[in-house]
Structures are given as C-alpha cells and as structure tokens.
Amino acid sequence: MLARPIPPDCLRRRENSFGRCLWFCIAEQLGHTETNRQTDRMSSTGSRGTSAKTNMGSPQSALSVISLNVGGHIYSTALGTLLKYPKSKLAEMFSGQSRPKMDSEGRYFIDRDGTHFKYVLDFLRGQEPPPSLAEVVYQEALYYGIEPLVKLLEDSPKIFGEMVGRRQFLARVPNYQENIEVMVRVARAEAVASRQSTVTVCVVRNEEDAVKCHEAVNGLDMDKESVVRFGPWKASPSISDLLYCIKLDIESKGYSATYRPHEIGKGFLVRPCEFLYKFTFTWW
C-alpha cells in the first residue's frame, strides 16, 4: 500500500511548529546558563566581601589607616601597627572580635586619657619610650596588655628600683598601706578651719625599739590613739628610708606633706624624741 503524500501546507505547518519549539528550547537553555553565571558571580562577590570583613589581619587590611580618638587626643596609624602583638588588649579591640565605639566624626573611640598613648604607638612602630616617662608609659602598657613593652619598662632603672627595691622593702613592713590610710584620715579630721594638720608617727625597727617607743608615747601629753605606728621590719633600709617612703606615698595621693622629729621638753630642755616624728599636712 502506497503512503499518501503529505500536502505542502501541512509540511510548512510542521516545519514552523518544530522551529518554534527548537527556538524556545535554545532560549530557555541560554537563560538558565546566564542565571547560573549571575548566581556564581554574586556568590563569589559575597565570599570575598565576607573574607575582607572577617580577616582583619590580612595583608590588605593591615595597610588600612585607622583614626583613633583616645580620650580626646586624635591619632592615626596603620591597622597592622595596632595588631602587632595579637595577644594584647589593643589588638583584640581591632581584631574583628570586638571594636571600640565610634565618635561623631567616625573615629574609633577609646575612653581613656590619651596623653601618653603616643608612646605606645611609638613602641609599636619600633621606638622605645623616653626613660623620664617610664612610670606613666608603664601604666599604659599594663592597661593595653602589651607584654613586650611591660617587660622593657620593668627592666628600666626607675621601675626596677621601685618594684624590686622599694616595694619589696615595704612588703616587709607590717600594715604599711593601712597605716598610710590611717594617717590621711587623722590629718583630714584635724583639718577643720586649719591651714595645716599634724600626725604623730612612731617608727621602730625591732621589738626592743617598740618597747621604748611605747614608753615614750605613754609619756606624751596627747591622744595616744592618734599615734600611727610603723614597724618593726626585717630588712636593711633604715628609719630615714621608711620616712622617705611614707612621704612619697602620701604625696602620690595628692597631699602636701613634710616631716620632722617630734620634740619634747620646753625652752633649753627641748630635745627630739627618739622613734617619734611629726608629719605636717598643708591644705592651703
């Protein structure tokens, strides 16, 4: 049986239908490919952005210039400078884990006196602080947790002498810090309507001296309870060394103080009383 020929009109309709289907398939495939490309680009960009935000220590971000407002003092430095010692408190502020607040000008704000922050930055840039400022820079190094700077300053003569010499000595004087506070309280109580107030101090090096001092205090015409006693102690520094330390620590609290031996007797019979000293606080 012979196949019937297909009319030309039917052939044209079939060709046109097949062409439209083929065109739609190609267009759909092209659109799908472009969509995938756009998605890939967005994913790649997002990954790079996330990496730049979280990797504060990368070579690119380390070169970023940071503006700082430290208690009203303005500084500028590279991010890498602040991150030089990763275990320091200063590095933690800018490591991405936590950040300081921002001021109204968009600078990072650290709520601390920034007078000597300059020397912290100088050290991070490779320059040692001046010896004359060792004590104040040492406090900054402790606050920002920069251990290499702390160790450097602890080896300086001034801080070494304070920590290894004076503090070790005072640690062997019983109740030293408590007695300093008692002296301040007594002086303030005596300051009413006065330009100066005095505090009597008994300083003894050993138990034998303590007995003599007790006898001397009992012979005084004054309130025995107001006498502040220091000692005895087991260390080489002398009584004059301890008196100097007492004056130094009182003045470190902002008071003006002088001392002299306590005198007993009258007229030509006046003489210094062994073990007893008068500290004079001047208020105005």
Side-chain angles (χ1 to χ4, degrees):
M1 182 176 178
L2 296 176
R4 294 176 60 184
I6 300 174
D9 291 342
C10 291
L11 285 174
R12 283 194 296 272
R13 285 196 297 271
R14 290 184 180 184
E15 290 173 357
N16 292 338
S17 177
F18 176 75
R20 284 195 298 272
C21 290
L22 181 61
W23 186 86
F24 281 122
C25 288
I26 293 172
E28 182 178 3
Q29 183 64 31
L30 289 174
H32 178 71
T33 302
E34 182 62 23
T35 301
N36 287 343
R37 288 177 180 172
Q38 292 178 358
T39 302
D40 292 342
R41 284 197 297 270
M42 292 174 64
S43 176
S44 174
T45 303
S47 299
R48 288 195 299 269
T50 303
S51 175
K53 291 178 181 178
T54 58
N55 189 13
M56 294 285 289
S58 66
Q60 293 82 2
S61 60
L63 297 176
S64 302
V65 176
I66 301 295
S67 292
L68 303 171
N69 179 348
V70 187
H73 295 261
I74 308 303
Y75 298 95
S76 295
T77 188
L79 177 60
T81 300
L82 302 175
L83 300 177
K84 185 171 183 178
Y85 297 105
K87 294 183 179 180
S88 69
K89 178 181 177 180
L90 187 62
E92 288 179 0
M93 291 180 182
F94 299 92
S95 64
Q97 300 175 1
S98 61
R99 291 190 179 184
K101 297 179 180 180
M102 309 291 285
D103 69 7
S104 59
E105 300 295 327
R107 295 178 290 244
Y108 292 109
F109 179 72
I110 300 176
D111 192 10
R112 181 175 174 81
D113 182 10
T115 305
H116 299 103
F117 186 72
K118 168 187 184 300
Y119 302 104
V120 174
L121 285 181
D122 287 346
F123 175 77
L124 296 176
R125 294 165 178 157
Q127 182 178 341
E128 294 186 3
S132 60
L133 296 176
E135 291 180 300
V136 290
V137 179
Y138 180 66
Q139 296 303 317
E140 299 303 301
L142 290 174
Y143 177 80
Y144 292 108
I146 304 174
E147 194 62 28
L149 180 55
V150 170
K151 291 182 178 179
L152 173 70
L153 292 170
E154 284 181 349
D155 286 336
S156 66
K158 196 166 188 178
I159 294 180
F160 177 83
E162 169 68 17
M163 296 185 64
V164 177
R166 199 176 83 93
R167 290 189 186 179
Q168 289 296 321
F169 159 54
L170 296 178
R172 302 180 186 186
V173 179
N175 305 316
Y176 176 80
Q177 293 297 339
E178 292 84 348
N179 286 341
I180 293 292
E181 297 299 330
V182 171
M183 287 182 64
V184 171
R185 288 199 299 270
V186 172
R188 291 174 69 93
E190 298 281 338
V192 178
S194 300
R195 182 167 181 263
Q196 295 178 325
S197 55
T198 60
V199 179
T200 303
V201 171
C202 174
V203 183
V204 294
R205 291 222 32 200
N206 50 53
E207 292 297 340
E208 182 180 349
D209 290 343
V211 173
K212 295 178 180 178
C213 181
H214 180 72
E215 294 174 352
V217 171
N218 287 336
L220 296 177
D221 184 18
M222 60 178 298
D223 182 9
K224 313 309 189 285
E225 297 297 326
S226 64
V227 178
V228 183
R229 172 176 156 176
F230 288 86
W233 64 87
K234 294 181 179 180
S236 60
S238 64
I239 289 179
S240 61
D241 293 328
L242 181 62
L243 292 170
Y244 172 78
C245 289
I246 294 173
K247 181 178 185 296
L248 192 66
D249 288 329
I250 288 175
E251 291 180 340
S252 70
K253 296 178 179 294
Y255 298 97
S256 174
T258 59
Y259 66 89
R260 56 184 173 81
H262 180 74
E263 295 179 339
I264 57 175
K266 296 181 179 180
F268 294 105
L269 300 178
V270 171
R271 60 183 177 83
C273 182
E274 191 177 14
F275 312 118
L276 293 178
Y277 299 84
K278 277 190 175 295
F279 273 79
T280 302
F281 289 68
T282 300
W283 302 106
W284 48 274

